PDB file of all heavy atoms in Angstrom:
ATOM      1  N   VAL M  40      12.205  35.409 -94.408  1.00  0.00           N
ATOM      2  CA  VAL M  40      11.400  34.713 -93.244  1.00  0.00           C
ATOM      3  C   VAL M  40      11.970  35.142 -91.894  1.00  0.00           C
ATOM      4  O   VAL M  40      11.125  35.536 -90.989  1.00  0.00           O
ATOM      5  CB  VAL M  40      11.595  33.105 -93.401  1.00  0.00           C
ATOM      6  CG1 VAL M  40      10.806  32.502 -92.231  1.00  0.00           C
ATOM      7  CG2 VAL M  40      10.936  32.737 -94.711  1.00  0.00           C
ATOM      8  N   ALA M  41      13.280  35.197 -91.749  1.00  0.00           N
ATOM      9  CA  ALA M  41      13.832  35.578 -90.443  1.00  0.00           C
ATOM     10  C   ALA M  41      13.317  37.059 -90.039  1.00  0.00           C
ATOM     11  O   ALA M  41      12.969  37.205 -88.861  1.00  0.00           O
ATOM     12  CB  ALA M  41      15.368  35.531 -90.403  1.00  0.00           C
ATOM     13  N   ASN M  42      13.356  37.928 -90.926  1.00  0.00           N
ATOM     14  CA  ASN M  42      13.038  39.271 -90.659  1.00  0.00           C
ATOM     15  C   ASN M  42      11.593  39.541 -90.457  1.00  0.00           C
ATOM     16  O   ASN M  42      11.136  40.615 -89.817  1.00  0.00           O
ATOM     17  CB  ASN M  42      13.544  40.201 -91.723  1.00  0.00           C
ATOM     18  CG  ASN M  42      15.053  40.514 -91.501  1.00  0.00           C
ATOM     19  OD1 ASN M  42      15.461  41.357 -90.665  1.00  0.00           O
ATOM     20  ND2 ASN M  42      16.016  39.811 -92.220  1.00  0.00           N
ATOM     21  N   SER M  43      10.808  38.657 -90.961  1.00  0.00           N
ATOM     22  CA  SER M  43       9.349  38.724 -90.674  1.00  0.00           C
ATOM     23  C   SER M  43       8.952  38.582 -89.273  1.00  0.00           C
ATOM     24  O   SER M  43       7.878  38.831 -88.897  1.00  0.00           O
ATOM     25  CB  SER M  43       8.576  37.801 -91.571  1.00  0.00           C
ATOM     26  OG  SER M  43       8.667  36.492 -91.214  1.00  0.00           O
ATOM     27  N   PHE M  44       9.891  37.957 -88.494  1.00  0.00           N
ATOM     28  CA  PHE M  44       9.646  37.691 -87.124  1.00  0.00           C
ATOM     29  C   PHE M  44      10.271  38.675 -86.215  1.00  0.00           C
ATOM     30  O   PHE M  44      10.390  38.419 -85.082  1.00  0.00           O
ATOM     31  CB  PHE M  44      10.037  36.325 -86.676  1.00  0.00           C
ATOM     32  CG  PHE M  44       9.163  35.188 -87.362  1.00  0.00           C
ATOM     33  CD1 PHE M  44       9.561  34.483 -88.396  1.00  0.00           C
ATOM     34  CD2 PHE M  44       7.876  35.016 -86.776  1.00  0.00           C
ATOM     35  CE1 PHE M  44       8.767  33.563 -88.911  1.00  0.00           C
ATOM     36  CE2 PHE M  44       7.093  33.988 -87.257  1.00  0.00           C
ATOM     37  CZ  PHE M  44       7.432  33.198 -88.427  1.00  0.00           C
ATOM     38  N   LYS M  45      10.790  39.783 -86.732  1.00  0.00           N
ATOM     39  CA  LYS M  45      11.429  40.841 -85.954  1.00  0.00           C
ATOM     40  C   LYS M  45      10.580  41.939 -85.686  1.00  0.00           C
ATOM     41  O   LYS M  45       9.494  42.058 -86.296  1.00  0.00           O
ATOM     42  CB  LYS M  45      12.752  41.273 -86.689  1.00  0.00           C
ATOM     43  CG  LYS M  45      13.863  40.285 -86.721  1.00  0.00           C
ATOM     44  CD  LYS M  45      15.080  40.853 -87.430  1.00  0.00           C
ATOM     45  CE  LYS M  45      16.170  39.875 -87.656  1.00  0.00           C
ATOM     46  NZ  LYS M  45      17.199  40.389 -88.588  1.00  0.00           N
ATOM     47  N   THR M  46      11.054  42.896 -84.827  1.00  0.00           N
ATOM     48  CA  THR M  46      10.330  44.201 -84.697  1.00  0.00           C
ATOM     49  C   THR M  46      10.757  45.036 -85.790  1.00  0.00           C
ATOM     50  O   THR M  46      11.863  44.869 -86.483  1.00  0.00           O
ATOM     51  CB  THR M  46      10.637  44.854 -83.375  1.00  0.00           C
ATOM     52  OG1 THR M  46      12.060  45.115 -83.335  1.00  0.00           O
ATOM     53  CG2 THR M  46      10.205  43.914 -82.228  1.00  0.00           C
ATOM     54  N   ASP M  47      10.003  46.142 -86.097  1.00  0.00           N
ATOM     55  CA  ASP M  47      10.264  46.963 -87.211  1.00  0.00           C
ATOM     56  C   ASP M  47      11.646  47.602 -87.118  1.00  0.00           C
ATOM     57  O   ASP M  47      12.454  47.656 -88.063  1.00  0.00           O
ATOM     58  CB  ASP M  47       9.220  48.100 -87.260  1.00  0.00           C
ATOM     59  CG  ASP M  47       9.271  48.910 -88.592  1.00  0.00           C
ATOM     60  OD1 ASP M  47       9.937  48.378 -89.426  1.00  0.00           O
ATOM     61  OD2 ASP M  47       8.464  49.794 -88.690  1.00  0.00           O
ATOM     62  N   GLY M  48      11.995  48.093 -85.950  1.00  0.00           N
ATOM     63  CA  GLY M  48      13.270  48.814 -85.693  1.00  0.00           C
ATOM     64  C   GLY M  48      14.503  47.865 -85.931  1.00  0.00           C
ATOM     65  O   GLY M  48      15.465  48.110 -86.635  1.00  0.00           O
ATOM     66  N   GLU M  49      14.303  46.566 -85.405  1.00  0.00           N
ATOM     67  CA  GLU M  49      15.465  45.678 -85.502  1.00  0.00           C
ATOM     68  C   GLU M  49      15.592  45.257 -86.981  1.00  0.00           C
ATOM     69  O   GLU M  49      16.755  45.077 -87.399  1.00  0.00           O
ATOM     70  CB  GLU M  49      15.184  44.481 -84.666  1.00  0.00           C
ATOM     71  CG  GLU M  49      16.432  43.660 -84.372  1.00  0.00           C
ATOM     72  CD  GLU M  49      16.102  42.267 -83.679  1.00  0.00           C
ATOM     73  OE1 GLU M  49      15.049  42.210 -82.964  1.00  0.00           O
ATOM     74  OE2 GLU M  49      16.929  41.376 -83.885  1.00  0.00           O
ATOM     75  N   ALA M  50      14.658  45.004 -87.775  1.00  0.00           N
ATOM     76  CA  ALA M  50      14.638  44.592 -89.086  1.00  0.00           C
ATOM     77  C   ALA M  50      15.409  45.658 -89.941  1.00  0.00           C
ATOM     78  O   ALA M  50      16.203  45.365 -90.827  1.00  0.00           O
ATOM     79  CB  ALA M  50      13.289  44.279 -89.708  1.00  0.00           C
TER      80      ALA M  50
END
Side-chain angles (χ1 to χ4, degrees):
Chain M
V40 175
N42 279 281
S43 70
F44 290 104
K45 288 181 186 171
T46 60
D47 196 5
E49 198 190 336

